[in-house]
Amino acid sequence: DQQVKQNSPSLSVQEGRISILNCDYTNSMFDYFLWYKKYPAEGPTFLISISSIKDKNEDGRFTVFLNKSAKHLSLHIVPSQPGDSAVYFCASKDTGFQKLVFGTGTRLLVSP
Amino acid sequence: DGGITQSPKYLFRKEGQNVTLSCEQNLNHDAMYWYRQDPGQGLRLIYYSQIVNDFQKGDIAEGYSVSREKKESFPLTVTSAQKNPTAFYLCASSLGRGLALETQYFGPGTRLLVL
């Protein structure tokens, strides 16, 4: 039972363009959502988060959008840079519990 | 310079052997976690601890054991009962203390390989 799904295993984008990474969840009790970036053989790095009381959160080049009715969130990276090439995981949490539930990740490749 | 350290970076296990992965944090976080990552999969929770001397099983605790004797340390033992231990193991910590909107921060990971 996969409660958090990232249906695109990979995404290729040209430098300077927008990258859009998508994530769907099934558990309506999830009310806090996070995006992590991971390079090979390293631990994930926290990027940005959003609580269910908001529908958008921005931090520099990164914006997360939350559509609660569709149980969908997306991460926009504008403009994309080659250093953004990594695997991106979305994670969701029911704030009544300590546990994060992770998606399977999307590998982003930004080409010069 | 606060952070989470994991050692060793690579670890080799022989058949029937128990091995222990180290995780230390100096962020003054109450909560600590162990995850396992397999190729093409997300992170799966093995064990977590919200406070010293207390820990709970995650989704895939079979074949693993933990202890939490100190706030800074949360070692994970991979026992011989774990039949498929080859994976990338990640330790994380968070403030805990009942905070709802909190972020987990990760260490650099340990790759465990079976000889």
Side-chain angles (χ1 to χ4, degrees):
Chain A
D1 176 25
Q2 203 173 343
Q3 298 185 73
V4 178
K5 298 179 184 179
Q6 294 179 256
N7 291 318
S8 298
S10 63
L11 176 67
S12 292
V13 170
Q14 281 194 312
E15 181 178 7
R17 307 292 286 265
I18 184 171
S19 296
I20 301 176
L21 296 97
N22 295 303
C23 180
D24 297 295
Y25 62 96
T26 58
N27 189 338
S28 58
M29 297 301 292
F30 287 154
D31 51 7
Y32 187 51
F33 306 89
L34 306 91
W35 283 95
Y36 287 86
K37 173 182 177 180
K38 186 180 181 302
Y39 294 116
E42 294 185 12
T45 302
F46 169 70
L47 269 179
I48 192 168
S49 63
I50 188 168
S51 75
S52 59
I53 62 172
K54 293 185 173 183
D55 53 20
K56 177 182 172 181
N57 189 27
E58 283 183 85
D59 184 2
R61 295 187 297 116
F62 302 92
T63 302
V64 56
F65 294 91
L66 176 62
N67 182 333
K68 289 185 288 295
S69 61
K71 294 192 180 69
H72 177 84
L73 66 152
S74 61
L75 174 68
H76 292 209
I77 306 174
V78 184
S80 302
Q81 300 173 354
D84 296 329
S85 298
V87 177
Y88 289 78
F89 290 97
C90 69
S92 304
K93 186 173 183 284
D94 174 350
T95 52
F97 296 90
Q98 204 74 17
K99 193 173 98 168
L100 277 179
V101 180
F102 283 83
T104 53
T106 297
R107 183 178 303 277
L108 174 65
L109 176 63
V110 181
S111 53
Chain B
D1 194 16
I4 303 172
T5 57
Q6 292 186 242
S7 61
K9 191 168 178 66
Y10 295 95
L11 186 58
F12 297 91
R13 193 191 93 162
K14 295 180 182 178
E15 291 288 337
Q17 186 182 41
N18 291 354
V19 292
T20 297
L21 286 63
S22 168
C23 178
E24 304 276 333
Q25 55 96 2
N26 61 3
L27 299 168
N28 199 32
H29 285 172
D30 280 339
M32 297 187 74
Y33 312 81
W34 275 105
Y35 291 88
R36 168 181 172 140
Q37 186 192 15
D38 294 282
Q41 296 194 35
L43 282 63
R44 293 183 291 166
L45 183 66
I46 304 172
Y47 267 98
Y48 66 101
S49 167
Q50 298 187 65
I51 200 165
V52 174
N53 293 322
D54 183 61
F55 48 83
Q56 286 81 38
K57 293 182 179 180
D59 299 320
I60 54 166
E62 187 175 348
Y64 300 97
S65 66
V66 293
S67 63
R68 185 87 188 276
E69 297 175 2
K70 297 189 299 181
K71 185 175 183 176
E72 301 79 20
S73 177
F74 191 40
L76 173 74
T77 296
V78 183
T79 74
S80 57
Q82 172 49 243
K83 297 308 178 189
N84 185 22
T86 297
F88 191 52
Y89 290 87
L90 288 157
C91 177
S93 71
S94 66
L95 278 170
R97 302 167 202 171
L99 293 173
L101 304 182
E102 61 162 11
T103 299
Q104 292 182 19
Y105 297 93
F106 286 83
T110 292
R111 183 162 298 281
L112 177 61
L113 298 164
V114 176
L115 293 177

